[in-house]
């Protein structure tokens, strides 16, 4: 039978005689299978006629079985002349085949059968190794060169497991606010108002963090996160470390950060290992909090598939249903970052992030006022020339009295996206000149037009969510999850920290912006007086509602009793208020009734 193993074409009877894996053992069975599968056949020359089938067109399992038998038959033959040596002697005699196997394994992890096919096509005139010899060679390469194979097949695996990493990644940060890492990731929780991203900042020295839920990574959201962090912590970093994302490396950041004395350290592409702290913290939040929330879609493809399969088993649809809004997600993140993560001892530093932040050996640079920050981090528009009509932007003229001294000169223009009627004008050297106004556009926000359509969509989603929540109110998992979130909120509410030790910090740009006189305010109609109702001694929910009403009236300009307003503001900072805001209906999960419960109700 061995004489059939080296043939390139076989008849139906010969194929049946070989009893190959996956093929019938009778001539009739082979012919039926060949007709059904559409095997190509060729006429057999010589007396008797008939036809053959090409071995190359047999099913994969049958070809592999035939190749193994051929290799075993070759190994069993005595070595004579140009015969094939066995075992390790084969690779010594055929180094080019050995090199080819290593190259194939470096490209991707292949089975012995695939490698056998590839080297057979590459070396048609050279005896091939047996299946056992080839498998041993593959195992030896995988065991002796894992770092080399990972470097070529999976760079992330190589960086995380095999690349030499001596010392500590935070060694260069000698004090708090020396280096901040900033990055963004897609939120692993789908919200009722759409899938969101999370922008995070981590102080490398202390590991203190600030997260912001945003629509996507953009220059605007990056500036908003940076502005929120500087304002909340009251300090300015010395170095801001980023990747090459367009939201971080752009004209706005490159021109705005130097005015605050911040160095932009943009890392080479595809090097997340150079900002490991912010990357690692994203994973920590996912494991500790995001995975507990309704709407969790998984952190990777395999996890997402399992969650969709579980959803199909429960509801009949492989769909992850959103359960919280982006605002609620932001509250959960704030409470976890400040109330739990920020107050527990970090495994690497041996201190709680907030405690290490406040005990920095070197004083941090004090942040300028909010208006100065807003101007410094405003969006870069471009250059313009001051003419008798002021400066031009989008077919509009902007003017302020200080521009008279800059007539005919080139200036830098920046703007706040929430205000169409203002442009911030800077000298080419970076000093702030003035805020120029366009009175026709003053008071109108560019975002209002785009947000109107978004509000209509949100109203539709809210109606759909109301029906869904009605089915999940008795889901017991929420009780445990809400207890954890309440603990976070209470811990965050009890946190009282002294401001960090700071030293005066200024730049020519900060000084020029801080000295600017605010533009004249637009006339505002006198608000109507509303009598406020003092919070009663009723339930927590009623006290929260009355507090919200007082704060809303005050924000709208309605005159309220100063004593009640002070009480409302104090109560809004309490742990009871914050916990109730989180849990007052925000996490009431609709329980999807299963078929059994519906059948019982019908009976």
């Amino acid at each position: 039978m061995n004489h059939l193993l080296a043939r390139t074409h076989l008849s139906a009877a010969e194929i049946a005689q070989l009893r190959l894996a996956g093929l019938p053992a009778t001539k009739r069975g082979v012919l039926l299978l060949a007709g059904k599968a559409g095997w190509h056949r060729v006429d057999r020359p010589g007396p008797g006629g008939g036809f053959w089938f090409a071995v190359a067109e047999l099913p994969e399992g049958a070809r592999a079985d035939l190749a193994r038998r051929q290799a075993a038959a070759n190994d069993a033959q005595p070595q004579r002349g140009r015969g094939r040596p066995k075992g390790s002697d084969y690779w010594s005699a055929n180094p080019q085949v050995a090199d080819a196997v290593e190259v194939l394994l470096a490209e991707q992890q292949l089975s012995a059968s695939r490698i056998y096919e590839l080297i057979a096509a590459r070396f048609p005139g050279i005896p091939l190794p047996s299946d056992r010899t080839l498998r041993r060679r593959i195992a030896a390469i995988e065991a002796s060169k894992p770092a080399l194979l990972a470097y070529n097949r999976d760079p992330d695996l190589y960086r995380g497991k095999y690349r030499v990493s001596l010392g500590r990644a935070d060694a260069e940060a000698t004090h708090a606010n020396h280096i901040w890492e900033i990055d963004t990731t897609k939120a692993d929780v789908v919200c009722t108002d759409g899938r969101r991203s999370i922008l995070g900042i981590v102080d490398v020295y202390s590991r203190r963090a600030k997260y912001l839920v945003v629509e996507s990574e953009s220059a605007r959201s990056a500036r908003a996160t940076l502005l929120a962090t500087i304002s909340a912590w009251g300090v300015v970093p010395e170095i801001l470390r980023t990747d090459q994302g367009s939201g971080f490396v752009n004209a706005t950041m490159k021109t705005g950060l130097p005015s605050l004395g911040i160095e932009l350290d943009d890392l080479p592409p595809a090097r997340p290992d150079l900002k490991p702290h912010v990357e690692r913290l994203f994973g920590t939040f996912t494991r500790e909090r995001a995975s507990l929330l309704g709407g969790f879609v998984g952190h990777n493809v395999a996890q997402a598939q399992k969650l969709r399969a579980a959803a199909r088993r429960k509801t009949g649809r492989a769909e992850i249903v959103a359960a919280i809004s982006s605002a609620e997600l932001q509250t959960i993140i704030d409470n976890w970052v400040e109330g739990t993560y920020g107050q527990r001892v970090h495994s690497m530093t041996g201190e709680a992030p907030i405690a290490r932040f406040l005990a920095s050996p070197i004083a941090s640079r004090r942040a300028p006022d909010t208006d100065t920050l807003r101007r410094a981090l405003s969006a870069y528009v471009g250059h313009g020339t001051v003419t008798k009509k002021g400066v031009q932007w989008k077919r509009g003229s902007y003017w302020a009295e200080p521009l008279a001294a800059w007539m005919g000169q080139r200036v830098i223009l920046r703007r706040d996206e929430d205000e169409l009627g203002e442009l911030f004008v800077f000298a080419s050297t970076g000093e702030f000149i003035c805020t120029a106004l366009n009175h026709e556009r003053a008071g109108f926000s560019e975002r209002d037009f785009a947000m109107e359509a978004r509000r209509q969509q949100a109203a539709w989603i809210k109606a759909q969510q109301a029906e869904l929540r009605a089915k999940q109110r008795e889901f017991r998992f929420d009780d445990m999850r809400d207890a954890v979130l309440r603990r976070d909120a209470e811990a965050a509410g009890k946190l009282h920290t002294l401001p960090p030790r700071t030293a005066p910090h200024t730049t020519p740009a900060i000084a020029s912006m801080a000295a600017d006189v605010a533009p004249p305010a637009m006339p505002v109609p006198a608000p109507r007086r509303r009598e406020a109702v003092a919070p009663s001694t009723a339930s927590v929910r009623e006290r929260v509602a009355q507090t919200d009403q007082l704060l809303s009236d005050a924000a709208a300009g309605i005159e309220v009793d100063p004593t009640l307003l002070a009480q409302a503001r104090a109560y809004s900072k309490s742990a009871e208020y914050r916990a109730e805001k989180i849990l007052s209906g925000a996490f009431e999960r609709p329980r999807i009734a299963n078929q059994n419960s519906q059948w019982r109700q019908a009976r």
Side-chain angles (χ1 to χ4, degrees), residues 459-478:
W460 179 84
I461 293 177
K462 183 177 180 180
Q464 299 297 313
Q465 283 297 110
E467 180 180 353
L468 184 63
R469 289 193 185 98
K471 301 177 183 177
Q472 295 178 334
R473 285 196 172 92
E474 298 180 7
F475 187 52
R476 302 301 299 174
F477 174 76
D478 287 354

Side-chain angles (χ1 to χ4, degrees), residues 591 593-603:
R591 181 176 65 85
N594 56 36
Q595 296 180 352
N596 292 335
S597 62
Q598 294 176 352
W599 179 78
R600 295 191 191 98
Q601 293 174 3
R603 295 194 60 183

Side-chain angles (χ1 to χ4, degrees), residues 267-336:
L267 302 172
R271 291 299 306 274
D273 56 297
L274 297 181
K275 47 178 180 56
H277 308 96
V278 66
E279 297 274 356
R280 189 176 299 118
L281 191 57
F282 283 141
T284 303
F285 173 74
T286 295
R287 291 188 296 272
E288 293 192 9
R289 288 296 176 269
S291 59
L292 302 178
L293 303 177
F296 178 63
V297 296
H299 190 62
N300 51 48
V301 175
Q303 196 174 32
Q305 289 176 341
K306 292 180 180 179
L307 291 170
R308 286 196 294 269
R312 183 189 295 111
R313 185 171 60 253
K314 292 179 180 179
T315 66
R317 294 187 301 172
E319 179 181 355
I320 305 299
V321 179
I324 61 174
S325 67
S326 58
E328 293 164 349
L329 178 60
Q330 181 68 67
T331 301
I332 293 170
I333 289 175
D334 290 342
N335 289 335
W336 179 79

